[in-house]
Amino acid sequence: MSHGGNEHVGGPNPLISWLFTTNHKNVGVLYLVTSLYFLVVAGVLALTFRLQLSEPNNVILGPDAYNRAMTLHGLFMLLWVTTPLGAALANYFVPIQIGAKDMAFPRLNALSYWLYLSSGIVALSSFFAPGGTADWGWYTYQPLASLRYSPQIGGSMMAFALLLLLASTTVGTVNFIVTIFRLRAPGMKILNLPLFSLGWLATNLILLWAFPAFMAPLILLVTDRLLGTVFYTSAEGGPLLWAHLFWFFGHPEVYILLIPGLMAVGDIIAVSGRRAVYAKPAVWVALLVASFQSWVVWAHHMFQSGIHTGLREAFNITTELISIPFAVIVIAFLLTLVGGRIRITTPMLFALGSLALFIIGGASGVFNSSVALNIGLHGTFWVVGHFHYTIVGGGITGLVAAIYYFWPKMTGRLFSETLGKIHFVVHMVGFNLLYFPMHMLFDMPRRVYTYVVEAWGPVNMVITIGAFTFAAAWALFFAILFHSLARGSKAPDDPWDAAPYSLEWNIPSPPPEFNFPHGIPSLSPTGKISWITTNGASPSEHSHPHLSPWPFIVSVGTSLIGVGLFMSPPMTVLGLAAFVAAIVGWAYDDLKDRFKVVIEAIGEKWPFERDNNFSLGMWTLVIGEVALVGPIFSGYVFARANSLLTGFRWPAPGEVHPIELGLLNTIILTTSGLTATLAYLASKKGERGRTVLSLTATLALGLAFLGIKAFEWWELHAHGITFGTDIASSFYYVLTGIHASHLLAGVLVLPYLILKAHKGGYDGGKAPGIEMFAIYWGFVDIVWLFIFPSFYLL
Amino acid sequence: MVELLTTETIWYSLFWFYLMAAVTISALVFGFMTFVVLRYRTKSRNPAPSDPIDEDFRLGVSPKRGGVIPVLVIVGGLAVLFFGLTLSTFHANEVMEDVSHSGDPAPLKIRVEGYQWGWIFVYPNGKKLDGELIVPVGKAVQLEITSRDVYHAFKAPDFKIMKDAIPGRLNYAWFRAVEEGEYLVQCYELCGVGHARMIAKIKAVDPGTFQNWYTS
């Protein structure tokens, strides 16, 4: 692929430069290619089961194969395709649109991608594990997904792959939030951002909560499957514990999938109509309101589970209300066009098409929100039709529009408008033939590999024909893109006449490595773009300090650990070695200050002018951590409340866990919080000796805590209290285990900080590393202050 | 004779109400969309630089574009619509939820147990049927639904009743068959390889036949 960044990445070997790249545009291209590959995989799986369902009592796929194909299709399309496809374009264009030369943390950006790829590889290899992969449907209901009913190794691999993916996304989220808040060009206020970047910010604000919140139930699932805890098999936890925690993530996820495409559509509409976005502040407020609302609608997925009527009615109302901000957005987009001069291009056709499909999906969603109608619609093909209209119609079709829109900028090539328009027609015909008839099957259960009711046959046949037509549209899409790469005429810098609207159309196609050859972009209060020329703020394009092998090697290590854990122990050892080597290498690069991040000194940083990128990054990560630990604590409360109903006797204070030891550890940990703070204060004053001393004290206290914790675990084991003894011991082990592993991570970083401080690395009074550590350590302390009373005192 | 209340008639009348609202609103939005695109469409590729439209077209927020009034109209309009929809939903839900609204003072109480992969129906006198539920026409039937193993979902689509069958929990639903015949019961929550075949039937027979069978 001819690509801008590529030419400048340098290095003797183009393969190495792709593997070790940290440039946001290259990472974007990697994301794009990978997510489209996964889209093809998951799409082909869908074709196999559409073939199976085309007639009643068909025998192309058996129930085993069907369940696996359907599960993988769902998981991949949602988590490995749609979100990363948005991330691909965001990686490429958000830094450009905000006026930055790269992301705030380029190496972490590369790490996000490589972890994403690793997770995909682990997930796909689970397909070939003995006994097959996960076959319980993407929402993994319990206890079907427990070891008892689904013992296959592939299922555990899938859970592990999901954890990896969530880690990858969380790293990316922190990076984007810091980048968008702190790296904007001078004059670029948040509201000045094009809708795509604005939407990506909103998406990341949801991601920051939602993905760690999904980690919580997954960790409990993995410990259930690997260590024998009883979260989902005991009466106190059980199926509803999973359902609540899962949907708490699951519904916000829908907006994560939708917003990037929808907001790209807004930009394309504005550009094609040559009009400013109508009521842009209202669009932004609507996005934020919807983000918050997305946290209080989850139980509408559980209307039939027997939760209290009043609660269901409340969720009915919140669910209806969330359609209001999206109605505001849709109408604002249509009003944008009023009085405009609309040019119908391929991206514009897809944009309008996407909006139309999303309106239908939104309308059918109102039906589902009704507690009464839901009785008839829940678990049927109506629902399948509904969510494909929103996610494939609103989300993916919008992203197709965005790929067409951004394509000339990314590749420097134009595509055939005629073919693009033919593609649009095939896409829309295939889509509607595929998903619209599903609404007529509102009595047919979803996720069945076959059906006996003859009357459902003809409609299913139409759906299958639609599926193949839709698949043909995708084949055509890829052909058009390849044709453009091979034969496309050279794209001008501004093929859509969009230069006044967004920065990317003011730079060459494809953009040079650091994006802005004319200087630093800046924005006047009236929205005029100008260029500040300074004396070479960017490093020479021939040196390449921006290559780093470590993100790639970390991820190779992680995948080996992942696959090896389930298939071959030596592989795990090898992976662990690679992982440790990469982390040490990464730290060594930092110690020697070898990797340069390209960041302009001036810019718009509201509302985080007083922070630095590192502290803001750590604060953001801590919010994500809260979203991880919080749901586990909610699970604890849920199980304790349930134990009153089931008659399970929760151990009395002091009965199992000695209060004295807990108290001792509390004192040790709070003291270490104090020493960590002292280290931070000393480092700010540049006092080397006191910094080293305080850090060393923190290390000693951290080790003491871990020692006592290990002793407590040992004692419990000696008394026969294990992971799976009961729900109380499960929660104790997992919560203290998560806490201790966080503490251990901090303890492992400390020697590095001590070494760097000792060598005078923080003498200048700037010690972002220590500041980050102090924030992190404080968070870990606070978590303990919740754990201590929960298990020792109550 | 007064027509007996059934869950499916309540459901369908609510469904048509929602459908009417959805079609009307979608038609309005699609009409507006089509109008705007056709009305403001152009083929000229080179806009005049002095065109007043272009002043507005730039990075950032345009002070000229966008009033509060349309936003308030959308929010207010939808709020009113949803208020109407929600009230009728809650009313329908109350009736569909609670067997006391069936008008039958002594409904037939059946325990439903889902298992991998089938349905067992237990009658008050201890009679037990696997894969078939026999009920008398006209009588309200209350179901107490649970599961013996994994998460299932009980649904009889003809009666528009559904409840998840969850191990360790009891969920309730009621229905009434007004015509003799056989009706489909199926599991609507993925429960393993036998999910698609987790089918049973409800057989509605005349009350006399039922009584003979039940007391035999």
Side-chain angles (χ1 to χ4, degrees):
Chain A
M1 181 179 282
S2 120
H3 178 257
N6 195 14
E7 295 157 26
H8 302 285
V9 161
N13 186 336
L15 178 69
I16 293 291
S17 67
W18 277 107
L19 295 182
F20 296 170
T21 186
T22 62
N23 181 284
H24 72 97
K25 293 186 289 298
N26 291 348
V27 174
V29 171
L30 289 171
Y31 260 112
L32 185 65
V33 173
T34 313
S35 55
L36 288 176
Y37 169 70
F38 287 148
L39 182 140
V40 172
V41 172
V44 169
L45 287 174
L47 289 181
T48 64
F49 58 73
R50 269 328 309 175
L51 217 50
Q52 160 67 17
L53 288 172
S54 58
E55 293 176 338
N57 299 308
N58 221 344
V59 287
I60 297 166
L61 284 189
D64 279 305
Y66 172 86
N67 284 354
R68 285 174 207 152
M70 171 271 294
T71 302
L72 227 63
H73 169 78
L75 283 170
F76 263 75
M77 283 299 193
L78 293 170
L79 294 162
W80 275 282
V81 174
T82 311
T83 319
L85 196 55
L89 297 173
N91 251 294
Y92 204 110
F93 287 101
V94 165
I96 300 179
Q97 289 189 337
I98 69 172
K101 290 183 165 177
D102 205 326
M103 299 283 287
F105 308 110
R107 284 174 299 179
L108 288 185
N109 196 27
L111 181 67
S112 286
Y113 168 73
W114 291 110
L115 282 179
Y116 157 62
L117 181 64
S118 305
S119 69
I121 290 171
V122 176
L124 279 184
S125 26
S126 77
F127 211 67
F128 305 101
T133 182
D135 58 358
W136 44 59
W138 89 279
Y139 50 74
T140 316
Y141 262 18
Q142 307 291 340
L144 179 64
S146 68
L147 216 49
R148 176 164 170 207
Y149 296 102
S150 303
Q152 69 273 31
I153 284 172
S156 305
M157 276 178 86
M158 180 58 86
F160 181 84
L162 282 168
L163 281 177
L164 260 187
L165 178 74
L166 298 177
S168 141
T169 314
T170 305
V171 170
T173 303
V174 169
N175 207 347
F176 271 114
I177 287 178
V178 175
T179 303
I180 296 173
F181 275 122
R182 300 237 343 140
L183 265 58
R184 279 166 289 142
M188 184 74 83
K189 306 232 162 39
I190 294 277
L191 256 181
N192 285 340
L193 297 176
L195 289 178
F196 180 68
S197 286
L198 209 53
W200 189 246
L201 176 59
T203 307
N204 276 275
L205 292 177
I206 306 177
L207 273 169
L208 179 63
W209 277 88
F211 273 38
F214 184 26
M215 273 180 146
L218 266 180
I219 289 174
L220 306 190
L221 176 64
V222 169
T223 58
D224 262 14
R225 291 182 65 95
L226 297 185
L227 305 176
T229 51
V230 295
F231 294 109
Y232 303 125
T233 47
S234 61
E236 294 74 34
L240 287 191
L241 173 62
W242 170 271
H244 277 294
L245 292 179
F246 179 82
W247 289 118
F248 186 65
F249 140 81
H251 204 81
E253 163 71 0
V254 173
Y255 302 101
I256 292 167
L257 302 170
L258 171 70
I259 292 173
L262 185 64
M263 289 297 112
V265 162
D267 277 336
I268 293 166
I269 282 177
V271 163
S272 303
R274 269 193 97 68
R275 292 292 268 159
V277 176
Y278 187 89
K280 197 176 181 187
V283 171
W284 175 229
V285 170
L287 275 179
L288 291 180
V289 168
S291 310
F292 284 110
Q293 283 177 303
S294 72
W295 296 107
V296 289
V297 296
W298 84 88
H300 70 224
H301 295 270
M302 301 165 64
F303 276 166
Q304 306 314 321
S305 67
I307 51 175
H308 189 266
T309 314
L311 205 63
R312 259 181 290 152
E313 291 182 341
F315 276 94
N316 179 342
I317 293 170
T318 57
T319 305
E320 278 171 338
L321 291 182
I322 202 167
S323 61
I324 292 181
F326 287 104
V328 167
I329 291 171
V330 167
I331 300 298
F333 287 179
L334 293 181
L335 288 174
T336 297
L337 289 172
V338 172
R341 201 166 344 85
I342 305 170
R343 236 158 64 191
I344 302 288
T345 57
T346 302
M348 180 60 166
L349 279 175
F350 274 95
L352 293 172
S354 165
L355 212 54
L357 300 175
F358 178 59
I359 291 166
I360 298 176
S364 61
V366 176
F367 288 69
N368 303 339
S369 75
S370 155
V371 276
L373 289 183
N374 190 276
I375 298 170
L377 304 173
H378 186 82
T380 69
F381 263 82
W382 165 285
V383 174
V384 181
H386 157 71
F387 71 71
H388 280 93
Y389 264 89
T390 56
I391 295 169
V392 187
I396 300 251
T397 305
L399 288 173
V400 171
I403 292 174
Y404 274 126
Y405 175 66
F406 287 132
W407 184 260
K409 180 58 59 187
M410 296 169 80
T411 60
R413 301 280 165 182
L414 294 175
F415 55 85
S416 158
E417 270 290 330
T418 320
L419 288 178
K421 282 171 183 156
I422 295 173
H423 172 211
F424 172 71
V425 173
V426 182
H427 181 100
M428 290 302 277
V429 169
F431 182 101
N432 287 297
L433 217 50
L434 167 55
Y435 299 119
F436 196 79
M438 287 186 182
H439 294 97
M440 298 176 218
L441 291 177
F442 63 75
D443 278 345
M444 177 171 162
R446 58 190 280 209
R447 294 173 161 175
V448 286
Y449 83 100
T450 193
Y451 48 97
V452 289
V453 180
E454 294 283 339
W456 295 337
V459 184
N460 268 295
M461 182 54 90
V462 173
I463 292 173
T464 301
I465 293 169
F468 279 87
T469 316
F470 195 49
W474 283 93
L476 184 57
F477 181 42
F478 296 132
I480 291 169
L481 297 185
F482 280 119
H483 179 256
S484 159
L485 283 179
R487 297 269 174 83
S489 47
K490 229 180 125 20
D493 291 355
D494 184 13
W496 313 116
D497 294 327
Y501 183 77
S502 185
L503 288 176
E504 69 269 28
W505 308 110
N506 294 275
I507 57 173
S509 303
E513 170 139 42
F514 294 111
N515 298 340
F516 303 107
H518 319 304
I520 301 170
S522 94
L523 211 60
S524 78
T526 57
K528 265 198 145 24
I529 300 163
S530 59
W531 306 94
I532 306 167
T533 46
T534 53
N535 40 349
S538 57
S540 153
E541 301 206 329
H542 296 291
S543 70
H544 28 87
H546 43 276
L547 286 182
S548 173
W550 310 122
F552 173 68
I553 299 176
V554 166
S555 309
V556 171
T558 322
S559 349
L560 288 178
I561 296 171
V563 180
L565 209 56
F566 303 99
M567 289 182 175
S568 111
M571 212 186 210
T572 307
V573 176
L574 192 71
L576 206 59
F579 182 84
V580 172
I583 295 293
V584 171
W586 193 323
Y588 191 71
D589 271 5
D590 266 6
L591 204 59
K592 296 278 168 197
D593 213 5
R594 267 199 208 146
F595 185 90
K596 296 275 185 230
V597 179
V598 202
I599 291 176
E600 302 293 358
I602 50 170
E604 202 69 40
K605 299 183 191 329
W606 183 88
F608 298 109
E609 295 93 343
R610 283 151 165 253
D611 297 81
N612 60 58
N613 294 349
F614 296 97
S615 63
L616 181 61
M618 187 47 84
W619 280 117
T620 315
L621 182 69
V622 163
I623 293 174
E625 291 271 12
V626 171
L628 162 69
V629 181
I632 303 186
F633 268 105
S634 322
Y636 164 87
V637 173
F638 179 90
R640 272 200 91 153
N642 266 346
S643 70
L644 299 176
L645 302 175
T646 62
F648 171 75
R649 201 182 66 83
W650 207 275
E655 186 182 339
V656 176
H657 310 296
I659 299 175
E660 315 78 57
L661 280 182
L663 195 62
L664 180 62
N665 252 351
T666 309
I667 293 165
I668 290 175
L669 207 58
T670 27
T671 315
S672 80
L674 194 69
T675 56
T677 314
L678 286 176
Y680 165 63
L681 293 175
S683 72
K684 270 193 95 168
K685 288 189 197 141
E687 297 171 345
R688 194 194 292 188
R690 277 181 54 198
T691 307
V692 172
L693 188 69
S694 308
L695 286 174
T696 314
T698 311
L699 179 60
L701 290 166
L703 286 172
F705 179 95
L706 287 173
I708 293 171
K709 187 91 266 163
F711 173 74
E712 280 184 82
W713 276 39
W714 179 263
E715 280 287 299
L716 281 178
H717 252 271
H719 287 94
I721 295 171
T722 60
F723 293 113
T725 301
D726 53 35
I727 188 77
S729 77
S730 292
F731 268 110
Y732 173 80
Y733 276 112
V734 167
L735 265 172
T736 57
I738 290 175
H739 178 258
S741 50
H742 273 83
L743 208 67
L744 184 66
V747 162
L748 289 175
V749 170
L750 270 171
Y752 166 80
L753 293 177
I754 294 170
L755 184 68
K756 190 162 178 181
H758 176 70
K759 291 198 160 190
Y762 300 129
D763 281 0
K766 273 198 173 167
I770 296 179
E771 188 179 358
M772 282 164 79
F773 174 80
I775 296 166
Y776 175 82
W777 199 260
F779 160 75
V780 177
D781 281 13
I782 288 168
V783 172
W784 178 255
L785 294 182
F786 281 89
I787 292 179
F788 176 57
S790 303
F791 290 99
Y792 293 82
L793 302 181
L794 294 172
Chain B
M1 186 187 138
V2 189
E3 205 176 306
L4 286 170
L5 186 67
T6 68
T7 43
E8 66 270 25
T9 45
I10 299 167
W11 190 89
Y12 273 109
S13 64
L14 186 66
F15 182 77
W16 293 122
F17 180 36
Y18 269 68
L19 193 64
M20 225 168 56
V23 169
T24 312
I25 289 189
S26 310
L28 283 175
V29 179
F30 282 132
F32 181 57
M33 190 172 181
T34 315
F35 164 76
V36 168
V37 173
L38 294 181
R39 165 71 182 73
Y40 297 104
R41 198 180 155 189
T42 175
K43 291 200 168 178
S44 83
R45 295 206 54 95
N46 295 313
S50 59
D51 195 314
I53 290 173
D54 287 341
E55 280 176 36
D56 237 20
F57 179 67
R58 56 181 168 69
L59 250 169
V61 188
S62 164
K64 289 185 216 150
R65 300 282 288 151
V68 186
I69 292 161
V71 174
L72 290 181
V73 168
I74 299 165
V75 174
L78 283 177
V80 169
L81 172 74
F82 287 157
F83 189 70
L85 293 176
T86 312
L87 278 188
S88 43
T89 278
F90 286 0
H91 176 69
N93 191 52
E94 204 185 314
V95 179
M96 293 175 80
E97 283 274 282
D98 190 346
V99 71
S100 67
H101 291 281
S102 68
D104 193 332
L108 176 62
K109 290 188 175 166
I110 307 282
R111 182 180 166 91
V112 183
E113 292 174 8
Y115 67 96
Q116 280 181 325
W117 290 276
W119 299 101
I120 288 173
F121 302 95
V122 186
Y123 288 80
N125 70 353
K127 256 187 189 303
K128 212 180 238 189
L129 289 178
D130 191 341
E132 190 180 47
L133 171 64
I134 301 176
V135 295
V137 163
K139 187 117 194 97
V141 182
Q142 189 190 16
L143 305 173
E144 181 187 86
I145 301 160
T146 187
S147 162
R148 293 184 172 183
D149 38 49
V150 303
Y151 204 116
H152 302 281
F154 175 94
K155 188 172 209 161
D158 298 311
F159 302 113
K160 293 285 171 285
I161 57 165
M162 175 182 201
K163 272 286 180 279
D164 292 344
I166 306 169
R169 290 183 71 98
L170 298 176
N171 284 328
Y172 297 89
W174 74 271
F175 72 99
R176 165 185 277 138
V178 286
E179 274 176 47
E180 287 183 32
E182 289 190 353
Y183 304 92
L184 178 74
V185 165
Q186 194 161 356
C187 177
Y188 277 66
E189 189 60 74
L190 180 66
C191 56
V193 289
H195 172 53
R197 302 282 183 193
M198 191 166 161
I199 296 175
K201 63 183 176 207
I202 293 173
K203 208 162 128 187
V205 297
D206 76 85
T209 318
F210 177 80
Q211 206 52 39
N212 285 341
W213 168 79
Y214 190 61
T215 49
S216 68

